[in-house]
Each structure stands twice: as structure tokens, then as C-alpha cells.
Amino acid sequence: MGLLDTLNNARTQVIVIAFVCFLCPGMFNALNALPTAGPSAQVTKDQQNASLYLCFAIMSLLAGGLNNILGPRVLAMIGGTGYALYAGAQYNIFKVTDNGASDVIPDSANSFSVFTGAYLGICAGMLWAAQGQICLTYPTEGQKGTFFALFWVIFNCGAILGNTVATALAWGAGSSGFAMNDAMYIVFIVLMAFGSAVAFFIQPPATITREDQTQVETPPTNVLREFVQVLKLFTNPAMLTLFIPCLASNWFYTYQFGAFANYFSGRSNDLKAIFYWFAQAVGAWVLGNMFLDNTKYRRTTRAWTGCGIMVGATIIIFAGGAAVEYTQPATIDAGDSTGAFIGPLILYMLYGLYDAFFQVYTNYLIGAISNDSETLSRYAGYYKGIQSAGSGISWALNGFAFTGDNALSSVAQFWVMVVPCAVSCVFFAVYTKLFVKDTTEAAEGAEATTAAAVADAEAKA
């Protein structure tokens, strides 16, 4: 029985959405992890990403409800259209600067980049709402970590492939060459364009059968009901507890893909990015499958284990990051100074591992409090919305607020990255204590009890 014969199976649908993301945001991640050809191009990229994530934040909050109305296939097909346009705008900047030889960017090219960032933000909000419903709703209670890990592994293989191609094409340019060239941009644009086509194989949620043979339920809904339910997310105690972790979950990319990347030559950035995304794939599978879905232990035990892993990883990895940051290494090339490249490469892999841990654990916590398709679709939209707002603010700090002589130092950017991640660990512990129970039914009861207590306190006040 082939893949097409099992399209209505829950696991197959996770694989389908994973391959959509392999081609679209996976390739986007590969492209976004690479430095630009000059300071002006980097500022334009920061502005493009700021507009992307701010629009992404707004759309994500609405897209969960929109997904409940239109379904994940429509949202994923529309959502996939923005990625190739985004890459095309970056290619345009590369060409108008004479392949990186000039640092002067016409206003029209800059404006087009910001527009494509905004358009991609709208598209990404749709795509990730569809992904959230599929990955959070289709698994059984004992598979939520595994299914998300499966998605994360396939999704990040897109970035691995993208950066492998980039490394092969850039290596001959030597240590002084740029990370990007014409062939690379064309490869990224073509692969991204295929993502929307793959989304055609996403099936309606009501036709999906889980691996315990239960059916995914999708009650009828309407625009007004979805709008009201989205607003209620901001009074939901569980979602409010996860506000800081959601905000921090992509916050670190600005430093890792910007200031930290400046320590490496162009071709070395291509190479280290392969290992970064590989570490993400490994980290997702280890935490999601081996720990969070290890049914030998109760769900509460697994959730607390995950919390402990997050605390330990935050302390150890960022301590290593501080050690590298305060030594301020000179530009490192993997070919010319392999020994000097190894240490920072290992740190960068640990950053990738940390990102995977953060995403898998946060999604696991969200999925632990409900099995309802509609509810989880809105929760996924909330998660991506707040996450994208954090990313937008992070990119805007470098793209709009702190530029030129007023630019933040690399050390300052490092600590701006660390603080929200460290604070998130506190909220992970609070959430696990208050809302994670051994069964989803008990968790839904705890969430309702907490909400009632909050409402009662407000009424007495």
C-alpha cells in the first residue's frame, strides 16, 4: 500500500504537511540562515523580516479560526505562495547591488523587499495554522511528541538540503567569497514554488482516521464564532502562562543568523548551517519520541522531565555561548582554519538543538491540554502569532531601531537573546504544575477550574 493509498491516515497527513514545510519554510530557513552580501543588504533583510513577522503575528491569530472554516488544504496551498516571492526579492537585492559588489540599494528594491516580507507573513500565518491543526489534532494522546518530532525532522531536512546545495555551490569561491550566488537563489526559488502543489494532497480533517481508529471531529463553525473564540484566547489562563515562551520561541534567530554568523566566512556559514538544521532534526526526535512520548512514565513525569531538560539546556548552552561571545573570535573559515572552526560549530549545533527542544516542548505542552480539533487549531494560531510577534520585534530592533552608529553590539544582541529564553523556563514550570495532567480530560478540567477561579477573583475585585 503506497503513500497515496493512505492519504486519510493521520501519520500520512503529518508527512504531507511536513513535506510542504520542507519545501517552503524549510528552504526559507536555509536561506535566512545565510548572511547577506553587505551591511546595507543586511539592514534590508532585517526590515524584510520585521515586516514578515509582524504580519505573521497578526495573521496567525486569525488563521486558526480561518482554518476551522476553510480547512488546512486551502490555507496551506495559499500559504505556500509567499516563499518563492520572498526569495525572489532577496535575489533582486543581490542583483541590484551587482552581486554584492555595491552597498547602494535603490528605494524601489528595498520597498519591494519589505512588501514581500509582509505578504509572506500573511501566507506563513495560513500555512502554520494548517500545520498546527494537523500536528496537534491528528495524533493520539500518546503520540503527540512523536508526531511533532516526525514533522520537525522532515521539515528541517529541507533546510539541510538547501544549505548542502549552497555549500557545494559556494565552496569554490574561497574564504573571501559570498555565501550566495545566482545558482543558489534560483534553486531556492524553484524548490519553494513546489510547496503549494504538494499541499493539494492534504485531506479534509473529517476524513482522517487516527491510529487508534478514532475519527477526527470537526464541528460546524462560522466567522463570528471564530472571532470571539480567538479573543477569548487572551483571557485563557493556560495560553497566558505560555505567552513569554511563545514570544521567545523564535527570538534567538536574529542573533544566531546575524551577529553570530558574522564570525564566519561566507562558505563556512553555508557549511555550519547544515549541522545546525541536522541538530534540530536529531533534537526534535530525541526529546519528542524518546522522552515526551515514553509511555513507561506518566504524562506529568514526562512533562517535568522536559522542563528539567529545558532548564539544563538553557544554562549549559548559553554559558558556552557567552564564552565564545566574550572572546570575540576573528572571521573563521572552515577550509583555512579547520581547528578554529570546530568549537564555534559545536556551539552552533547546540543552538540548533536548543531551538528544537524549545519548539517540541512548547507544542507538547499545548497539545497536552486538549484533543479537540477546533480548540487546538486556535491554540496553534495563538502560538504562531505570539511567536511571530516576538520575531518581528527582534528583527525590528536591528532593522529599524538600532542601525548604523547606533547598532547593538554582538554582546548586547547575545544577552537580548538569552533573557527571554531564561524567563521562559519559569513559565514552563508554572504551566506544567497548573495545567498538565495524566490525561487530556483531566487537563481540560484543570484549565476550566483555573479559568473559573480567575473569573471569580475578578468578580470579587
Side-chain angles (χ1 to χ4, degrees), residues 1-17 134 138-139 143 147 150 201-216:
M1 187 163 55
L3 185 66
L4 294 179
D5 297 321
T6 62
L7 277 177
N8 296 106
N9 291 356
R11 189 182 295 263
T12 303
Q13 285 296 291
V14 171
I15 293 171
V16 171
I17 191 65
I134 291 171
Y138 292 4
Q143 296 176 319
F147 270 40
L150 174 64
F201 295 102
I202 295 173
Q203 302 300 299
T207 68
I208 304 304
T209 303
R210 297 188 180 94
E211 294 192 358
D212 62 0
Q213 301 307 306
T214 59
Q215 205 76 19
V216 175

Side-chain angles (χ1 to χ4, degrees), residues 214-378:
T214 59
Q215 205 76 19
V216 175
E217 297 179 1
T218 54
T221 188
N222 57 65
V223 174
L224 179 60
R225 180 171 183 270
E226 291 301 327
F227 180 73
V228 172
Q229 292 300 319
V230 167
L231 292 179
K232 286 183 177 180
L233 291 173
F234 292 92
T235 64
N236 182 311
M239 293 298 100
L240 292 177
T241 304
L242 283 182
F243 182 88
I244 296 298
C246 289
L247 192 76
S249 58
N250 272 2
W251 182 270
F252 30 71
Y253 288 157
T254 308
Y255 168 79
Q256 292 173 8
F257 298 164
F260 189 75
N262 291 335
Y263 293 138
F264 299 85
S265 67
R267 64 179 184 176
S268 298
N269 269 300
D270 291 330
L271 180 62
K272 74 177 176 55
I274 298 173
F275 292 94
Y276 178 88
W277 300 116
F278 177 77
Q280 288 236 17
V282 172
W285 190 254
V286 168
L287 183 61
N289 181 259
M290 297 176 63
F291 286 93
L292 297 180
D293 276 353
N294 188 337
T295 53
K296 293 180 181 178
Y297 305 98
R298 296 184 306 164
R299 177 189 277 173
T300 49
T301 301
R302 287 176 270 147
W304 279 115
T305 300
C307 187
I309 290 172
M310 287 306 307
V311 171
T314 300
I315 294 171
I316 295 170
I317 293 173
F318 290 138
V324 170
E325 187 59 46
Y326 279 97
T327 61
Q328 294 285 328
T331 301
I332 302 167
D333 181 71
D336 295 343
S337 51
T338 305
F341 177 71
I342 297 301
L345 172 64
I346 292 173
L347 173 62
Y348 200 58
M349 292 176 66
L350 291 175
Y351 282 155
L353 191 75
Y354 185 83
D355 184 11
F357 283 177
F358 208 111
Q359 311 300 333
V360 171
Y361 187 59
T362 305
N363 276 272
Y364 178 82
L365 293 179
I366 292 172
I369 63 173
S370 180
N371 285 330
D372 180 71
S373 173
E374 277 191 317
T375 300
L376 288 173
S377 180
R378 298 185 197 108

Side-chain angles (χ1 to χ4, degrees), residues 183-198:
M184 280 186 244
Y185 278 113
I186 293 170
V187 167
F188 279 117
I189 292 168
V190 171
L191 290 174
M192 288 173 171
F194 277 110
S196 290
V198 176

Side-chain angles (χ1 to χ4, degrees), residues 75-88:
L75 262 68
M77 290 183 72
I78 297 173
T81 63
Y83 290 88
L85 191 63
Y86 172 94

